[in-house]
């Protein structure tokens, strides 16, 4: 058993990663809340977990998942129950998923639908972002209603014809979200440039999976990032770039940060673990796993993203968890455009970054906690309830054995519920 609800327990002898750095302390949990952090805690009648030779970090927070989302006539293959089970077994105790507005429908319909899919099914705590795909006077008004429902982040797309909104509408959304104190998350790929690139691919006559990255040039990502930076400057609205894939996109973000733009960068394990050489493989079942948008980039981007993870230029590691079975992907064997985009990840993110980052690349354990829990909590209004080991915080606690491959135990607050964010 690698995960357990944390009602009452003393975690003894561990190296705690707190906001003030490493602390050799005990940690007491009472009723699922951290109630004491002190050098030696004595309390009768409470279970003790010996965390000697272990790091004790905040439970993982994955702020980018898509459980049972409708995509191209099918649904991502994890229900909220299955996906959140994977999350906790891999050391993640909170997720934020995306409720998607359908064109012609309201934001509150999407919100209610996602609450229905998730409430009473989730195994860890969860929150929702709201994807806005139809910008009307009504949907802009509804942003206030969503804030009252605890949704503080609003996703916008510059790609996907059925989801994307114009730059003018993006600015209207950003002005409104700024007014209510929220944040815009953005899928940054210029849809017109994608359509143009796709036209060239179709004209070439090769619709096999290896053409997928050709239909998503780096320039489309860079262009969309530049646009959203400009609109963020104009509106003052903070912006969070989801699934950043390229060196050039990261350079734009670093530059904008230097110029005082409130912008955050998220990348995902797939962009660190792989590069576009995978698209040379000819086996459909392996290759089709990497059909996602944006696609994997070259080795230079892969290394630049790793540099960003190590240096702090990348703020968050999330997953974009959106799995499909091989049967679901098989429809696109002859035409990659029919393959539903996305891959698995919620259960393996904490392990991946520990093994590849902390053990192999010298990522500090403090940055590990920051990237996987503290920064996501701060950016998305969960802090200090989540994302930190602090008296009064929820007892979502991940214990990792030092100096060996990811070997962990997760104590999590309680069987999941919806998080009303601030
Ligand atoms: O290909 C991807 N990333 N699928 C999930 C949906 C999205 O764009 O985030
Ligand atoms: Zn996206
Ligand atoms: Zn996504």
């Amino acid at each position: 058993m690698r995960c357990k609800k944390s009602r009452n327990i003393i975690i003894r002898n561990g190296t705690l990663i707190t906001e003030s750095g490493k602390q050799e302390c005990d940690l007491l949990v009472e009723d699922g809340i951290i109630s004491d952090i002190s050098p030696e805690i004595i309390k009768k009648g409470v279970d003790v977990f010996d965390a000697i030779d272990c790091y004790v970090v905040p439970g993982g927070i994955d702020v980018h998942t898509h459980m049972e989302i409708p995509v191209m006539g099918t649904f991502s293959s994890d229900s909220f129950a299955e996906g959140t089970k994977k999350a906790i077994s891999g050391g993640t105790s909170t997720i934020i998923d995306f409720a998607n507005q359908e064109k012609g429908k309201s934001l509150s319909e999407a919100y209610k639908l996602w609450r229905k899919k998730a409430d009473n099914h989730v195994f860890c705590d969860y929150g929702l972002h709201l994807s806005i795909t139809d910008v009307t006077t009504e949907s802009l008004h509804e942003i206030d209603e969503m804030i009252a429902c605890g949704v503080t982040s609003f996703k916008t797309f510059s790609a996907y014809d059925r989801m994307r909104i114009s730059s003018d509408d993006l600015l209207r959304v950003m002005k409104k979200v700024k007014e209510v104190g929220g944040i815009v998350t953005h899928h940054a790929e210029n849809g017109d440039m994608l359509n143009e690139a796709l036209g060239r691919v179709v004209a070439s006559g090769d619709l096999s999976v290896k053409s997928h990255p050709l239909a998503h040039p780096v320039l489309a990502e860079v262009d969309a990032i530049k646009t959203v930076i400009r609109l963020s400057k104009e509106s003052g609205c903070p912006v969070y770039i989801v699934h950043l894939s390229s060196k050039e996109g990261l350079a734009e973000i670093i530059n904008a940060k230097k110029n005082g733009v409130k912008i955050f960068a998220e990348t995902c394990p797939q962009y660190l673990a792989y590069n576009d050489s995978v698209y040379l493989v000819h086996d459909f079942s392996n290759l089709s796993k990497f059909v996602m948008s944006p696609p994997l980039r070259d080795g230079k981007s892969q290394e630049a993203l790793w540099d960003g993870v190590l240096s702090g230029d990348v703020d968050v590691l999330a997953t974009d968890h959106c799995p499909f079975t091989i049967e679901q992907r098989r429809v696109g064997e002859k035409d990659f455009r029919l393959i539903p985009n996305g891959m698995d990840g919620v259960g393996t993110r904490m392990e991946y970054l520990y093994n590849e980052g902390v053990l192999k690349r010298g990522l500090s354990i403090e940055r590990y906690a920051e990237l996987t829990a503290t920064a996501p909590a701060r950016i998305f209004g969960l802090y200090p309830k989540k994302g930190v080991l602090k008296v009064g915080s929820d007892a979502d606690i991940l214990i990792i054995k030092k100096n060996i491959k990811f070997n962990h135990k997760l104590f999590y607050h309680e069987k999941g519920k919806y998080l009303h964010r601030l």
Side-chain angles (χ1 to χ4, degrees), residues 128-355:
L128 290 172
H129 311 280
L130 211 306
S131 300
I132 304 183
T133 60
D134 202 357
V135 183
T136 59
T137 314
E138 291 75 36
S139 57
L140 288 171
H141 275 135
E142 273 195 292
I143 288 177
D144 292 307
E145 199 186 309
M146 291 300 105
I147 292 278
C149 293
V151 175
T152 59
S153 41
F154 298 87
K155 183 169 184 194
T156 52
F157 294 81
S158 50
Y160 302 141
D161 289 343
R162 66 185 193 291
M163 313 283 277
R164 67 174 161 144
I165 60 175
S166 68
S167 298
D168 286 350
D169 281 344
L170 178 52
L171 181 60
R172 291 166 76 202
V173 170
M174 290 180 96
K175 282 184 174 164
K176 178 68 192 179
V177 171
K178 161 73 183 167
E179 185 190 307
V180 297
I183 183 166
V184 160
T185 76
H186 192 61
H187 177 125
E189 287 186 289
N190 177 321
D192 289 336
M193 290 166 94
L194 296 189
N195 286 342
E196 225 178 279
L198 181 61
R200 283 194 296 273
V201 170
V202 173
S204 80
D206 184 356
L207 293 179
S208 69
V209 197
K210 67 178 190 302
S211 291
H212 168 69
L214 305 178
H216 291 264
V218 168
L219 214 54
E221 182 173 66
V222 175
D223 185 84
I225 290 174
K226 280 183 177 166
T227 301
V228 81
I229 287 171
R230 179 170 55 77
L231 300 180
S232 174
K233 279 185 192 156
E234 201 169 326
S235 61
C237 182
V239 62
Y240 175 96
I241 305 295
V242 294
H243 49 48
L244 177 71
S245 68
S246 68
K247 177 180 170 166
E248 294 82 352
L250 179 59
E252 294 296 334
I253 293 171
I254 292 171
N255 199 32
K257 283 183 180 185
K258 279 190 194 134
N259 291 323
V261 178
K262 212 151 184 241
I263 184 164
F264 303 97
E266 166 201 286
T267 196
C268 311
Q270 52 272 32
Y271 301 110
L272 300 174
Y274 306 102
N275 59 52
D276 56 7
S277 62
V278 304
Y279 298 117
L280 303 174
V281 176
H282 291 285
D283 159 32
F284 180 83
S285 62
N286 274 316
L287 181 48
S288 60
K289 283 197 294 234
F290 299 108
V291 174
M292 57 197 163
S293 303
L296 302 172
R297 305 298 190 186
D298 64 11
K300 285 187 185 145
S301 280
Q302 189 183 9
E303 279 314 306
L305 290 172
W306 262 119
D307 289 346
V309 162
L310 292 165
S311 69
D313 289 332
V314 169
D315 298 281
V316 170
L317 188 82
T319 62
D320 197 8
H321 178 82
C322 190
F324 296 95
T325 63
I326 178 63
E327 290 73 31
Q328 287 175 298
R329 288 184 264 121
R330 190 99 48 207
V331 293
E333 205 153 3
K334 296 214 164 59
D335 183 344
F336 76 91
R337 293 174 295 178
L338 303 177
I339 301 173
N341 283 211
M343 74 187 296
D344 201 293
V346 75
T348 51
R349 175 185 67 132
M350 302 302 283
E351 172 176 9
Y352 175 75
L353 192 64
Y354 190 78
N355 291 346

